[in-house]
Amino acid sequence: MIATAIAPKIDPAILEPALVQLTRHEARVRRVGVTAVQPGEGVSTLARELAGAYARRGRSAVLIEANWSRPSLAEAYGLTGQPGFADIVAGTVAPSCGVHPVADNLSVVPAGSPSAIRQATLDDGRVEDFLALVDDRFELAIVDCEPITEIGDAAALSPFMAVSAGGNVGERLMGLGDRHYGRIRAQALDWLGRVEIAADRIDDPPTRFSGGMRQRLQIARNLVTAQVAAIFMPTG
């Protein structure tokens, strides 16, 4: 029996399209990031509902809370005080200690302790190490992400302002050893499209972008090597 989190239900008009998108890509996608343009759009609720729906289909899923500024999963699933994602990234607990089974086929990784949240950063190498372990254990990881507008300007902009939009995305692939220019550029175009940056802006530097476009570029840069399908919730 799947336990129900203590949380409001999401509008089926939002949940159903997200489930359709997930089903369409599930054969090749192992991680799904759920985010929105701004706080208060129901991102955490959608992430919970998606994870529960996937688990009820008999598929193993893990729900990971990367929305550290507004954590809610510990309370929703009765995990208050338990270690979570930030504790794993900070290196204060073993990865297995932060993954908590809550129902058939469903486990939850809450945000973690306040001290770990203050210490850890999502660009730490332990993030990818942990996600690689998750890939081996679960069929799908759903990541409850920070809203786009919560990405701090300095953190989001300073590392990549001097490189073109396509170069920002492509350099992550080059870091993994890819040296095929055509393939790198094609993937950069694909990811820019996913975050709603027009293809004809691929050679523009971020200094020519608006603040919102820069934030979306940073998301594409971070996700391109992570096999993540980003679901953007609609805004009113």
Side-chain angles (χ1 to χ4, degrees):
M1 190 73 177
I2 297 293
T4 301
I6 303 172
K9 296 294 183 181
I10 199 162
D11 186 341
I14 295 175
L15 177 62
E16 292 304 322
L19 284 171
V20 169
Q21 182 176 347
L22 175 59
T23 301
R24 182 181 301 146
H25 297 288
E26 66 178 342
R28 62 183 179 86
V29 173
R30 302 297 304 279
R31 310 171 192 168
V32 173
V34 185
T35 187
V37 174
Q38 59 190 1
E41 299 290 342
V43 167
S44 295
T45 302
L46 176 58
R48 288 192 292 264
E49 297 255 359
L50 281 173
Y54 198 80
R56 284 191 292 273
R57 293 167 55 189
R59 311 293 293 275
S60 60
V62 60
L63 176 58
I64 302 172
E65 188 165 40
N67 187 351
W68 293 350
S69 64
R70 294 175 176 83
S72 62
L73 294 188
E75 181 177 0
Y77 287 98
L79 298 172
T80 301
Q82 296 298 314
F85 193 23
D87 301 276
I88 295 167
V89 175
T92 56
V93 301
S96 60
C97 295
V99 181
H100 307 278
V102 296
D104 296 341
N105 302 313
L106 179 61
S107 293
V108 171
V109 182
S113 65
S115 60
I117 290 174
R118 289 191 295 270
Q119 176 184 349
T121 60
L122 287 171
D123 59 359
D124 191 292
R126 293 190 185 94
V127 171
E128 182 57 35
D129 292 342
F130 174 63
L131 292 177
L133 293 174
V134 164
D135 289 344
D136 290 337
R137 179 174 170 185
F138 298 95
E139 294 175 89
L140 182 72
I142 295 179
V143 184
D144 177 4
C145 301
E146 297 273 5
I148 296 173
T149 52
E150 295 296 292
I151 300 175
D153 286 344
L157 305 182
S158 60
F160 65 106
M161 290 295 287
V163 182
S164 72
N168 267 285
V169 178
E171 71 176 9
R172 301 298 292 265
L173 297 170
M174 293 179 67
L176 294 180
D178 196 337
R179 294 294 184 269
H180 189 284
Y181 175 79
R183 184 166 54 239
I184 291 172
R185 188 173 178 87
Q187 290 195 59
L189 278 169
D190 176 52
W191 275 98
L192 291 177
R194 295 190 195 199
V195 297
E196 300 182 353
I197 294 177
D200 60 5
R201 305 300 300 273
I202 188 172
D203 295 315
D204 290 351
T207 51
R208 298 182 185 176
F209 289 178
S210 67
M213 289 176 67
R214 291 171 183 171
Q215 292 168 341
R216 297 200 301 276
L217 175 58
Q218 177 69 5
I219 289 173
R221 170 186 165 90
N222 287 341
L223 299 187
V224 65
T225 57
Q227 290 186 296
V228 177
I231 296 177
F232 290 86
M233 290 195 59
T235 56

